[in-house]
Each structure stands twice: as structure tokens, then as C-alpha cells.
């Protein structure tokens, strides 16, 4: 008969038959419910211990990794570069305006009316070429009168000479007194002086009459004409006088540039410069530094420098805006670094170098400032690894990590 009740074993030892050669039967105890629960409890404690140990170890590993990451992030990353060896000539560009080598207004030297003009703007003239004529009737009449006075003085002088010769002969014969002869001789001196005065007056009026003809004082181009036929012309350059012509010599042009004080010692008279124009970028011109003011302007802190440019072909016009390219001699021992590598400290100008992963601040001396770069004459060499855009808080001896250079497009 089968029932649902659990089967229970009698609480007695089971006898298990043994082999014939065994001396006695072996009896085994039956497992109890209490020993079964102890086994499961021990197994659970062991599993829980393993889980706790694994969790603690994982947490320790995570903390160690976080510490490594924190230590790594605590070291700043920097971009670096090497200084560029100097010794070559550096270039700066400065703006300038062209001016005619000789540029002068032309005025009349006598009063009158403009009779005729022969040149207009843009005309090329040579020294002595006739530009215009002025009609001065009063001056012509004064010259005629002076010439007549000169003829009268000459006739009186000739008569005085003859009279003096006769009286001197009479004195030698003792026909007249010496007093009378001296009077005649004195009258001869007066006549001679009067002749010289009239002759000088004629020469003066003749010279003034020459100014009725306006001529070019030098080779050049007429850049302005300020008169016309029949216009009243006043002599001189002030008051009511009006400029007749404006003449400019364009064979050679002057270019004045303001050179910053820091470059003043690098310029030398006789040096060659290159000149370009924004309006004509293809063509370049060559100029020469001829002189400078030898004084720094206190307002602009610049040196005024004159550059002469040969303009025989006439491609440059006076008043044009140009760019002057100056070559500055570099020092053999100097290097060039980017301007963003400089550190301005209270103790002076510094550059941060990287040596064995540590920062080393170097004191430097600046030569020429080229804007985006500067010339360093002492304190650095071309083999020094310097930091770009250093932090103001960067300290000497601090550990830094060097960033890998950024790869440009097309590189592998």
C-alpha cells in the first residue's frame, strides 16, 4: 500500500554485508537533519565571504585607477616648439608716401598781365623752357628811360674827361691855378659815378624784364596751372600773389617713413629697401636709405627716415601710398620664437623650457620685435624645447606633459 507520508528509517544502525575476508561487519550511522543544515550554512557563509572579498578588491582597484587618473590629470599638458635659429635678415614693413624730389610753386617776379602760357598740366619740361610770358608796359618804359639817362651820363662823362685833360695841361704850363684844375678833376669823378649809377639802373631793369618770361627752374612735370591769359599777375609769393604753375621733379622720388624706435639702431644709410604698391602688387621698386633725422620724435617715438627711389620710367606718382620693406640684420647667435611663448614676470621677461618633463624658466634678452615673432639674443638656443601659451601660474620645476603635435590634413 502506497501512502503520502514520508518514509522514516528506523533509528538503528544498518548492517552492510562485507566480504568474506573481512573479520566483522561495518556499521555506518544514518545522516541526520541537523548535520545537513550545517553543511548548507557553511557553504552560504563561504559564498558570501567570496562575494564580499571580490567587492572589496574591485573597489580597491577602482580607487587605485581613479587615483592614477587624478594624478595624471594633475599634470598640465603643454604645447611645445623649438626656437628657430637666427642669423638671417629679418624684414619689417612700414607705410610711406611718395614725394617729388623737387616740388615748387612758380610765382611771378614782376607785376603785369599774363600775355600767353605755353604749357599745361602733365607737360614735361626741361630747365630753362619757357612756360609763360607777362606783359609789363610800365617796366618797358622805365627801361627806355634808364637807357636814355645812361646815354646822357655817358656824354657828360666824355666831356668831363676831355675838359679835365685840357685843364691838366694848362696847370702844367702854369696858366691856371691848381685849385681850378682840381675842381674840373672832381667834376670828372662825379660824372663817372653818375654814369655807373645809370648803368646799374639799366642792368637792374633788364634783369627785371627777364622775369616777364616765366621759365622752368629744373627738369620736371607741370602738376598744376593756376592762371590764364589776361589774368593780373602780382609779384612775390605772399599777399595777393597767385601761383602760376606747380613744377615737380619725378626722376627721383623721396619716401619718408617713420621707423619705430626699437629698430632705429638697425638702420644704416646706404642700405637697399624694396618698395611695393597695393594698387600695383606685381611691380616692385628699389630704394636707398639716404638720410635720417638722427632724432626720435617724442610724440610718436619714431625715427624719420628718407628713402630715395629711382623713377626714371615714371611708374611711381608723387603722393602715392607705398609699402617699404626693410631688411634688418640679424645676429648669428640669436634665435626667433613665437610671441606667445613669452612670460612677463615681475623679475623680468622669461621663457618656459621643458627639461626631463619639468619646467625650467629661462631669462632672455629681446632683440627685434617682428610682431608675431621676436628675436632672442641671449638665454635660449635652437635646441631648447619651449612651451607655447604658458600659464601665468606656471612654476619653475613643475611637472608637465607634452602634447602630441596636431596632424594636418593629408599627413599620416
Amino acid at each position: 500500500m502506497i501512502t503520502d507520508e514520508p518514509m522514516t528509517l528506523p533509528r538503528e544502525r544498518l548492517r552492510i554485508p562485507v566480504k568474506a575476508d573481512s573479520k566483522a561487519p561495518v556499521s555506518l550511522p544514518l545522516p541526520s537533519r541537523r548535520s545537513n543544515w550545517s553543511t548548507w550554512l557553511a557553504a552560504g557563509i563561504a559564498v558570501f565571504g567570496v562575494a564580499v572579498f571580490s567587492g572589496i578588491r574591485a573597489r580597491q582597484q577602482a580607487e587605485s585607477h581613479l587615483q592614477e587618473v587624478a594624478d595624471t590629470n594633475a599634470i598640465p599638458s603643454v604645447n611645445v616648439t623649438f626656437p628657430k635659429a637666427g642669423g638671417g635678415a629679418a624684414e619689417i614693413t612700414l607705410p610711406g608716401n611718395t614725394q617729388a624730389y623737387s616740388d615748387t610753386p612758380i610765382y611771378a617776379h614782376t607785376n603785369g598781365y599774363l600775355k600767353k602760357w605755353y604749357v599745361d598740366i602733365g607737360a614735361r619740361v626741361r630747365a630753362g623752357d619757357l612756360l609763360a610770358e607777362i606783359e609789363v608796359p610800365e617796366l618797358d618804359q622805365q627801361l627806355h628811360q634808364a637807357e636814355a639817362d645812361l646815354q646822357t651820363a655817358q656824354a657828360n662823362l666824355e666831356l668831363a674827361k676831355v675838359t679835365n685833360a685840357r685843364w691838366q695841361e694848362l696847370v702844367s704850363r702854369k696858366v691856371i691855378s691848381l685849385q681850378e684844375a682840381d675842381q674840373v678833376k672832381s667834376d670828372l669823378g662825379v660824372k663817372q659815378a653818375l654814369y655807373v649809377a645809370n648803368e646799374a639802373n639799366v642792368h637792374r631793369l633788364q634783369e627785371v624784364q627777364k622775369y616777364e618770361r616765366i621759365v622752368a627752374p629744373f627738369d620736371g612735370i607741370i602738376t598744376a596751372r593756376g592762371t590764364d591769359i589776361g589774368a593780373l599777375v602780382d609779384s612775390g609769393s605772399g599777399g595777393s600773389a597767385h601761383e602760376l604753375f606747380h613744377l615737380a621733379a619725378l626722376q627721383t622720388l623721396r619716401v619718408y617713413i617713420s621707423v619705430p624706435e626699437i629698430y632705429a639702431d638697425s638702420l644704416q644709410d646706404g642700405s637697399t629697401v624694396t618698395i611695393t604698391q597695393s594698387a600695383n602688387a606685381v611691380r616692385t621698386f628699389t630704394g636707398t636709405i639716404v638720410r635720417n633725422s638722427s632724432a626720435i620724435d617724442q610724440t610718436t617715438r619714431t625715427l624719420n627716415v628718407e628713402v630715395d627711389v629711382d623713377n626714371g620710367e615714371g611708374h611711381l606718382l608723387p603722393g602715392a601710398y607705398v609699402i617699404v620693406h626693410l631688411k634688418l640684420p640679424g645676429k648669428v647667435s640669436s634665435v626667433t620664437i613665437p610671441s606667445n611663448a613669452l612670460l612677463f614676470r615681475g623679475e623680468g621677461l622669461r621663457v618656459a623650457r621643458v627639461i626631463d618633463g619639468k619646467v625650467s624658466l629661462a631669462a632672455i634678452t629681446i632683440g627685434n620685435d617682428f610682431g608675431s615673432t621676436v628675436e632672442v639674443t641671449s638665454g635660449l638656443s635652437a635646441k631648447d624645447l619651449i612651451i607655447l601659451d604658458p600659464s601665468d601660474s606656471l612654476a619653475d620645476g613643475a611637472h608637465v606633459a607634452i602634447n602630441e603635435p596636431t596632424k594636418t590634413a593629408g599627413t599620416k
Side-chain angles (χ1 to χ4, degrees):
M1 181 178 180
I2 299 174
T3 62
D4 295 332
E5 294 180 358
M7 181 182 63
T8 60
L9 298 176
R11 299 182 59 86
E12 61 181 2
R13 297 181 180 272
L14 295 178
R15 295 184 179 273
I16 300 175
V18 295
K19 294 180 179 181
D21 55 353
S22 60
K23 295 181 180 181
V26 177
S27 60
L28 296 177
L30 292 174
S32 65
R33 184 178 299 177
R34 183 175 181 181
S35 60
N36 190 24
W37 278 106
S38 298
T39 302
W40 284 105
L41 180 60
I45 292 175
V47 172
F48 178 76
V50 171
V52 171
F53 176 77
S54 299
I56 293 175
R57 183 172 180 81
R59 183 174 181 179
Q60 289 178 346
Q61 291 178 347
E63 290 179 351
S64 177
H65 177 69
L66 289 176
Q67 184 63 37
E68 292 178 359
V69 173
D71 293 340
T72 303
N73 293 336
I75 299 176
S77 299
V78 295
N79 298 319
V80 295
T81 188
F82 287 99
K84 184 178 179 182
E91 180 181 287
I92 61 172
T93 57
L94 297 172
N97 293 316
T98 59
Q99 298 182 18
Y101 194 82
S102 296
D103 188 16
T104 182
I106 298 177
Y107 293 89
H109 192 62
T110 184
N111 299 330
Y113 293 92
L114 191 71
K115 181 180 180 180
K116 191 175 182 180
W117 53 266
Y118 298 95
V119 294
D120 209 340
I121 59 173
R124 294 181 177 270
V125 298
R126 309 283 293 180
D129 286 353
L130 182 62
L131 306 181
E133 289 182 336
I134 301 174
E135 188 175 16
V136 190
E138 298 87 350
L139 178 62
D140 297 337
Q141 295 301 321
Q142 291 175 7
L143 179 58
H144 292 328
Q145 181 180 354
E147 290 173 345
D149 293 340
L150 178 61
Q151 292 177 357
T152 302
Q154 185 177 7
N156 292 333
L157 177 60
E158 294 296 333
L159 178 60
K161 289 179 178 180
V162 172
T163 303
N164 180 63
R166 290 173 179 175
W167 282 69
Q168 293 299 325
E169 184 180 355
L170 293 175
V171 169
S172 62
R173 296 179 183 181
K174 298 182 180 181
V175 176
I176 60 174
S177 65
L178 185 60
Q179 177 66 28
E180 291 174 331
D182 289 342
Q183 289 178 352
V184 174
K185 186 177 181 180
S186 177
D187 183 64
L188 174 61
V190 173
K191 295 298 190 295
Q192 287 178 336
L194 184 60
Y195 174 80
V196 172
N198 281 275
E199 186 181 33
N201 188 39
V202 170
H203 290 166
R204 180 184 66 82
L205 293 174
Q206 287 175 344
E207 291 298 323
V208 174
Q209 191 181 45
K210 290 180 180 179
Y211 289 106
E212 292 180 354
R213 294 167 50 88
I214 307 299
V215 298
F218 51 81
D219 297 350
I221 294 179
I222 300 297
T223 59
R225 177 177 61 84
T227 188
D228 210 340
I229 297 175
L232 178 62
V233 176
D234 295 323
S235 63
S237 59
S240 60
H242 191 70
E243 177 183 324
L244 303 182
F245 299 95
H246 204 98
L247 182 62
L250 305 183
Q251 290 293 328
T252 301
L253 296 183
R254 304 177 193 261
V255 179
Y256 291 96
I257 55 177
S258 297
V259 179
E261 181 180 2
I262 190 173
Y263 305 126
D265 293 337
S266 301
L267 298 180
Q268 295 180 355
D269 292 347
S271 301
T272 301
V273 301
T274 302
I275 297 175
T276 58
Q277 268 188 303
S278 300
N280 189 3
V282 178
R283 187 181 298 274
T284 60
F285 306 89
T286 301
T288 304
I289 299 176
V290 293
R291 62 184 62 86
N292 62 77
S293 61
S294 299
I296 300 297
D297 187 282
Q298 294 184 358
T299 303
T300 60
R301 311 308 303 178
T302 58
L303 178 70
N304 191 26
V305 177
E306 178 187 340
V307 177
D308 286 355
V309 185
D310 184 12
N311 192 39
E313 298 181 0
H315 294 297
L316 276 177
L317 300 178
Y321 176 80
V322 295
I323 301 297
V324 181
H325 303 262
L326 298 176
K327 295 290 186 180
L328 300 179
K331 298 178 176 60
V332 176
S333 60
S334 66
V335 294
T336 303
I337 64 173
S339 299
N340 60 345
L342 299 177
L343 271 173
F344 298 92
R345 295 293 178 87
E347 60 273 16
L349 201 58
R350 296 289 186 270
V351 169
R353 300 175 299 178
V354 178
I355 301 176
D356 296 333
K358 294 183 179 180
V359 175
S360 175
L361 299 181
I364 62 171
T365 303
I366 294 296
N368 295 317
D369 187 349
F370 308 121
S372 60
T373 60
V374 294
E375 180 189 24
V376 178
T377 57
S378 65
L380 285 180
S381 68
K383 297 181 180 180
D384 290 328
L385 194 62
I386 61 174
I387 299 176
L388 297 175
D389 298 314
S391 172
D392 292 337
S393 60
L394 198 62
D396 199 2
H399 289 272
V400 291
I402 298 176
N403 290 331
E404 291 294 332
T406 302
K407 294 183 179 180
T408 58
T411 60
K412 297 181 179 181

